[in-house]
Amino acid sequence: MLSRVADAVFWMARYMERTDNILRALRTNYIASQDEIQNFDWQLWMDGLGASSKKSETNVAYREALYQLLLDKENDTAVLTNIVRARENARSVQDYVTKEVWQCMNDYYHLIREKHTEYLILHGDPVTAFDNLLRESTLFYGTVDITMNRGEGYTFLSLGKYVERMLRSLDILELKIKELGKHGNELVQWKYLLYSLSGYEFHTKFYRNTLSTENVIHQIIMNVQFPHSVLYCLLQVERYFKRLDTISLPEHFKEMEFLLGRAISNLRYGAPAKPTVENIVPLIESTRTEIKSLSQKLATLYFGYS
Amino acid sequence: MSFALLLAEYAARPNIWDEMYTQGEIRNHYQLFFDSLSQVSPAELTRKDELAKKLFMSQGITFTVYSDGEGIEKIFPFDIIPRIITAAEWQHIEAGIKQRIKALNIFLKDIYHDQFIIKDGVIPASLVHSCPNFLREMVNVDVPFNIYTHISGIDLIRDRDGSFYVLEDNLRTPSGVSYMLENRNMTYRVFPGLVPRNNVRSVKDYPDILLKNLLAISNQQKSQPTVVLLTPGIFNSAYFEHTTLARLMGVELVEGRDLVVDNAKVYMKTTAGLKQVDVIYRRVDDDFIDPLIFNPGSILGVSGLYYAYRKGNVAIVNAPGNGVADDKAVYPFVPDMIKYYLNEEPILKTVPTYAMDNPEHFKHVFENIDKMVIKKTNESGGYGMLMGSASTEQQVRDYKKEVENNPRQFIAQPIISLSAVPCFINGKIQPRHVDLRPFALYGPQGIEIVPGGLTRVALREGSLVVNSSQGGGSKDTWILS
């Protein structure tokens, strides 16, 4: 497989996963802000997601925040920008992803650019807009699953997906911890955090008691049954990476394999026994650094970055 | 209003060949199609028209105009009513194109080797050597199976009497074949059931034949040759076509930066290291394929590619240097080539052509400028031409000056009126002028032409310019069996 194509497929998957994660988080936040959480701090999320804060210091109104986070072309991290980038990557490898996947991304792009989507966010019911967009996102995952062959392209796509997902989980957890520092009521905050990672129902079944900081953090970092947990994603990255064994140059494979093994061990055995809001922050930071250097190594060894 | 009334409003234009109408009657081969539509209302046709537009958009069959970072999607206008060609007409076209390609291919082999055609006085040496697309670098290079014109798109038009004329031979990197394929896919969505009912011949074989030919011209020592399609990249207006062909053939779509030449062999950079490439179907013009030999500023090609080609380590499709054969000043000599090389009479007619470096022709053309079109010999896409009948005196004067400065660069032809076919435009069925570009594939086993082609439509009323860059559109082309 061409290095350039592998790179584009990897980044297409990352942008799509990022889009899905951010949409789910924002949808939950919006619902929370309309109901249980008074004076929702949109500014914190705008800063956390890297949206350009034109009106810094003041708390922006929710519709304005949603617009900037979702549709603002000026905002380099807006969902629209992510979709445009995912699609541009797909366009440059159109012969590699299936026609169905390409059409799916294309429909997604046309949907988010529709006037009606903008209307729903600025004047109508934003939840409908979120649901419409998320349906396209789900369609994308299904189409990939059903139509893509399990060759190298699929491997790099999966690597991109899981690398992005763990970074999102770490980011969203960190943001929530910051939010907790400003506005108390842990229980409510943890509940919405789990909602935004689609993990609330699982939590109640798996941990069988009321929400506690320890269990919530355990679920997000260590629970291997939870598809958004960092450890689960790392193990998936390892699983897919091993498929590259036969096609890789041996020294490249070994180097990546070592880094991956170390990252998994560090997380497994380096996590605090009783996680708290305070002692988990260093682990979040060190894990994020490790994942980023993993991703960079992959780019150097497999995508021909110099 | 019913469809019949809509059709009754159709005003065939005088003095041109209308492919559907003759003396107030629908021609036989259009009858079945229009009968099937007799119950369809104009509103329904409009809905079908919108459906086609939506499908092109959602399938990403678009070209992108980039401004301000984010591209603006445009679709190549598509007219829903198919253009229909009878089996007999197609037989004539097919035989004519095969004959022509055969002669042109021998001409290329001859002109880059012994130049018998010049020595025998059939074509003047000055004409060939003054052609900017004559590549000195190709002289005495042997190409696999002596094939130069692997893929060609021959532009045909029909004059008042309905006979076919060749307007242009495109032997370099002709484009449009993806629209031949996609337009058919669109027709069966827009008019379910009509394609099989009319016994329309399929165009689906095109990518298979092309791949078969590409594999066949590679180095015979290899069991599994690697074929790639070289594209200039996503900013190219034909990028959609490049991805479609690569996907349908199952070959890698590469850009210049994916390739590297080492020890006169071409490799592509893959996740598993370098992999040798045997055949390159390039959609990059001659001038850009190798900065060491041609345009040194090009980043679309690969340094050293031409050397690898001359060594015979990689095949390039189409061969470089084909521009000398589809030069518009060489065009009037093609009938002579057919007689000289094949000892046959040309099957397809050519348009009378005046070389502007001939003072008599020059005088004649400017005396009859209202009946003439003047073209640059090496431009395509409808650029740089002057339609005598549609120009002001000032424009003619300016153009004349340009021609005087460099007469070899220009030719003139009488304006051919182009046949018209029915189109569905603004809720009405109206005649519009068309041309036809069938695609011929030349492989070691001979020349094959998929029964179909790209019909380009001049969408503006009365216009004779069909080029997509000048507001042209396209329609599906049915060859009946």
Side-chain angles (χ1 to χ4, degrees):
Chain A
M1 182 173 191
L2 287 175
S3 301
R4 175 180 57 83
V5 171
D7 187 28
V9 168
F10 179 81
W11 276 98
M12 176 190 87
R14 283 197 64 170
Y15 282 122
M16 287 306 281
E17 182 68 27
R18 190 175 296 178
T19 302
D20 187 82
N21 280 251
I22 291 179
L23 279 176
R24 284 179 203 282
L26 291 180
R27 181 182 185 278
T28 312
N29 284 346
Y30 170 73
I31 291 170
S33 76
Q34 296 300 306
D35 185 13
E36 234 169 324
I37 302 181
Q38 304 287 317
N39 302 320
F40 189 87
D41 192 348
W42 284 103
Q43 193 59 50
L44 185 112
W45 278 80
M46 303 245 316
D47 295 343
L49 292 173
S52 53
S53 46
K54 291 173 193 160
K55 302 169 187 167
S56 52
E57 306 301 320
T58 56
N59 198 353
V60 287
Y62 70 96
R63 287 211 194 260
E64 176 60 20
L66 285 182
Y67 180 79
Q68 286 189 33
L69 288 164
L70 290 165
L71 300 179
D72 192 355
K73 279 187 204 149
E74 312 267 294
N75 174 11
D76 208 33
T77 57
V79 170
L80 172 66
T81 320
N82 283 335
I83 293 175
V84 167
R85 291 209 177 122
R87 182 163 169 272
E88 287 302 294
N89 274 295
R91 188 202 290 284
S92 68
V93 295
Q94 237 184 80
D95 60 316
Y96 232 94
V97 296
T98 57
K99 192 169 184 169
E100 289 88 342
V101 170
W102 162 244
Q103 283 184 18
C104 188
M105 305 210 44
N106 219 12
D107 285 339
Y108 203 169
Y109 168 79
H110 289 302
L111 176 73
I112 195 163
R113 294 201 37 158
E114 254 179 31
K115 275 272 161 266
H116 186 60
T117 306
E118 187 180 314
Y119 169 81
L120 287 173
I121 287 162
L122 283 178
H123 310 289
D125 168 31
V127 179
T128 309
F130 278 119
D131 288 346
N132 292 344
L133 292 170
L134 280 167
R135 197 172 305 124
E136 289 293 334
S137 181
T138 312
L139 211 56
F140 169 78
Y141 288 111
T143 313
V144 165
D145 185 43
I146 292 169
T147 65
M148 292 270 292
N149 72 66
R150 265 39 177 178
E152 248 184 280
Y154 186 79
T155 303
F156 283 109
L157 193 142
S158 305
L159 290 176
K161 174 166 92 175
Y162 289 112
V163 164
E164 183 65 30
R165 189 181 292 174
M166 37 190 177
L167 287 173
R168 279 314 112 205
S169 290
L170 286 172
D171 280 4
I172 290 174
L173 175 62
E174 194 181 35
L175 264 175
K176 216 47 173 183
I177 290 172
K178 275 191 193 149
E179 208 175 348
L180 266 175
K182 288 190 180 175
H183 317 271
N185 203 344
E186 269 190 30
L187 279 186
V188 176
Q189 294 286 7
W190 286 140
K191 187 172 76 183
Y192 282 109
L193 170 63
L194 291 176
Y195 272 136
S196 63
L197 294 171
S198 317
Y200 181 71
E201 286 169 32
F202 171 69
H203 191 92
T204 55
K205 288 190 188 97
F206 189 88
Y207 295 95
R208 290 173 192 282
N209 56 14
T210 50
L211 293 173
S212 71
T213 304
E214 189 184 332
N215 285 342
V216 171
I217 292 177
H218 177 267
Q219 180 179 343
I220 294 170
I221 302 281
M222 303 292 283
N223 193 320
V224 289
Q225 288 181 37
F226 180 51
H228 283 268
S229 88
V230 181
L231 185 57
Y232 172 87
C233 295
L234 256 181
L235 292 172
Q236 290 297 319
V237 169
E238 188 191 36
R239 171 175 164 235
Y240 282 105
F241 178 73
K242 286 204 162 137
R243 295 188 180 178
L244 296 176
D245 190 5
T246 48
I247 65 107
S248 301
L249 297 175
E251 62 273 24
H252 288 177
F253 185 79
K254 275 208 184 102
E255 201 174 337
M256 276 297 294
E257 198 184 28
F258 170 77
L259 288 176
L260 254 172
R262 191 174 64 183
I264 292 168
S265 299
N266 282 347
L267 189 64
R268 247 194 193 138
Y269 309 116
K274 211 173 158 31
T276 64
V277 169
E278 290 77 28
N279 70 19
I280 203 67
V281 174
L283 184 76
I284 292 177
E285 277 163 13
S286 67
T287 310
R288 187 189 287 131
T289 313
E290 221 165 352
I291 297 167
K292 283 186 176 163
S293 66
L294 254 173
S295 171
Q296 274 160 10
K297 205 48 158 183
L298 192 73
T300 318
L301 300 180
Y302 287 84
F303 306 154
Y305 282 36
S306 45
Chain B
M1 191 166 67
S2 76
F3 185 78
L5 277 170
L6 201 62
L7 202 55
E9 280 189 348
Y10 183 82
R13 294 162 55 81
N15 282 330
I16 55 154
W17 181 264
D18 193 294
E19 298 194 9
M20 175 188 74
Y21 249 131
T22 174
Q23 295 161 351
E25 299 264 320
I26 295 180
R27 288 180 199 273
N28 276 342
H29 57 285
Y30 271 94
Q31 197 70 54
L32 186 58
F33 174 76
F34 279 121
D35 282 352
S36 326
L37 291 193
S38 57
Q39 299 306 317
V40 179
S41 68
E44 180 63 24
L45 273 184
T46 305
R47 270 197 293 280
K48 286 175 184 296
D49 193 33
E50 278 159 12
L51 170 69
K53 284 201 182 77
K54 218 181 95 206
L55 287 172
F56 271 110
M57 211 58 177
S58 74
Q59 295 182 11
I61 309 175
T62 51
F63 57 95
T64 312
V65 181
Y66 281 85
S67 62
D68 209 16
E70 193 192 342
I72 300 165
E73 309 278 314
K74 299 222 161 144
I75 59 174
F76 183 28
F78 171 73
D79 182 70
I80 54 173
I81 300 180
R83 189 246 191 112
I84 307 178
I85 290 171
T86 64
E89 284 167 344
W90 178 253
Q91 219 177 3
H92 174 74
I93 293 172
E94 195 180 19
I97 291 180
K98 280 186 179 172
Q99 179 195 51
R100 206 173 161 90
I101 301 285
K102 208 165 151 193
L104 284 164
N105 196 71
I106 303 175
F107 170 70
L108 282 163
K109 156 95 181 168
D110 186 22
I111 217 71
Y112 286 122
H113 288 81
D114 300 303
Q115 304 199 324
F116 291 121
I117 198 165
I118 294 179
K119 290 169 190 160
D120 286 337
V122 180
I123 288 185
S126 61
L127 180 71
V128 170
H129 290 282
S130 61
C131 173
N133 293 312
F134 175 78
L135 286 192
R136 218 169 23 85
E137 293 83 354
M138 276 300 284
V139 173
N140 287 328
V141 175
D142 291 323
V143 304
F145 297 92
N146 289 323
I147 300 172
Y148 289 81
T149 55
H150 308 84
I151 299 127
S152 26
I154 306 297
D155 289 347
L156 302 173
I157 54 173
R158 304 181 83 167
D159 199 9
R160 286 193 181 87
D161 59 356
S163 56
F164 284 95
Y165 283 78
V166 174
L167 186 66
E168 238 171 71
D169 307 287
N170 297 289
L171 309 177
R172 288 175 260 184
T173 49
S175 60
V177 76
S178 58
Y179 287 99
M180 171 181 88
L181 300 169
E182 293 297 342
N183 288 355
R184 179 63 50 82
N185 293 340
M186 215 45 74
T187 303
Y188 74 71
R189 297 285 297 267
V190 175
F191 296 118
L194 287 195
V195 174
R197 199 184 307 157
N198 282 276
N199 285 324
V200 181
R201 295 180 65 187
S202 169
V203 291
K204 280 237 155 51
D205 285 345
Y206 183 87
D208 303 340
I209 300 173
L210 179 57
L211 181 63
K212 182 190 76 184
N213 288 349
L214 293 173
L215 289 169
I217 61 161
S218 74
N219 188 332
Q220 297 298 299
Q221 313 301 322
K222 271 200 179 164
S223 60
Q224 280 196 317
T226 303
V227 177
V228 298
L229 197 158
L230 175 63
T231 171
I234 62 166
F235 297 106
N236 189 277
S237 59
Y239 184 72
F240 167 74
E241 174 151 314
H242 307 161
T243 60
T244 305
L245 288 176
R247 189 208 313 268
L248 290 173
M249 293 193 289
V251 305
E252 295 280 359
L253 181 67
V254 303
E255 295 177 18
R257 59 189 160 129
D258 297 323
L259 299 178
V260 60
V261 175
D262 183 35
N263 200 14
K265 292 192 174 100
V266 184
Y267 297 91
M268 57 181 179
K269 301 175 199 164
T270 78
T271 47
L274 297 180
K275 187 175 179 204
Q276 199 184 335
V277 171
D278 304 293
V279 182
I280 300 177
Y281 171 26
R282 49 83 180 227
R283 295 295 297 257
V284 174
D285 291 341
D286 284 357
D287 205 23
F288 296 95
I289 54 172
D290 185 347
L292 294 183
I293 306 287
F294 306 109
N295 184 346
S298 167
I299 52 164
L300 304 176
V302 192
S303 297
L305 176 62
Y306 197 70
Y307 181 55
Y309 178 62
R310 290 196 63 147
K311 279 263 188 183
N313 289 337
V314 68
I316 298 180
V317 168
N318 288 348
N322 282 3
V324 67
D326 63 11
D327 184 294
K328 289 190 180 73
V330 174
Y331 162 89
F333 291 92
V334 178
D336 296 331
M337 287 179 204
I338 294 174
K339 286 178 206 145
Y340 178 73
Y341 291 123
L342 308 177
N343 196 21
E344 291 173 12
E345 280 303 312
I347 297 170
L348 293 169
K349 296 181 183 174
T350 30
V351 183
T353 302
Y354 303 100
M356 299 307 280
D357 51 2
N358 177 331
E360 275 175 36
H361 285 180
F362 184 89
K363 193 161 160 262
H364 173 77
V365 167
F366 278 98
E367 275 169 6
N368 298 288
I369 190 69
D370 56 324
K371 296 189 199 84
M372 294 285 175
V373 50
I374 310 183
K375 299 174 181 171
K376 286 194 173 164
T377 51
N378 289 300
E379 295 263 0
S380 56
Y383 290 107
M385 65 180 210
L386 177 92
M387 280 273 199
S389 56
S391 306
T392 64
E393 272 182 38
Q394 183 62 38
Q395 280 169 323
V396 173
R397 265 201 303 277
D398 291 348
Y399 205 83
K400 193 173 176 182
K401 223 174 266 169
E402 219 183 310
V403 177
E404 276 168 342
N405 286 338
N406 197 349
R408 166 62 179 85
Q409 294 268 324
F410 295 89
I411 53 108
Q413 292 170 333
I415 295 173
I416 302 259
S417 58
L418 267 66
S419 56
V421 297
C423 294
F424 184 71
I425 295 171
N426 296 334
K428 283 187 186 142
I429 297 185
Q430 311 178 30
R432 288 289 185 272
H433 294 289
V434 290
D435 77 347
L436 174 65
R437 177 181 287 182
F439 294 89
L441 296 170
Y442 199 161
Q445 286 159 11
I447 301 170
E448 289 171 85
I449 307 172
V450 176
L454 176 68
T455 290
R456 295 186 297 175
V457 191
L459 291 172
R460 259 181 301 127
E461 196 173 351
S463 168
L464 294 172
V465 185
V466 296
N467 305 84
S468 57
S469 47
Q470 316 283 326
S474 78
K475 43 168 68 216
D476 189 16
T477 310
W478 288 6
I479 311 294
L480 305 183
S481 60

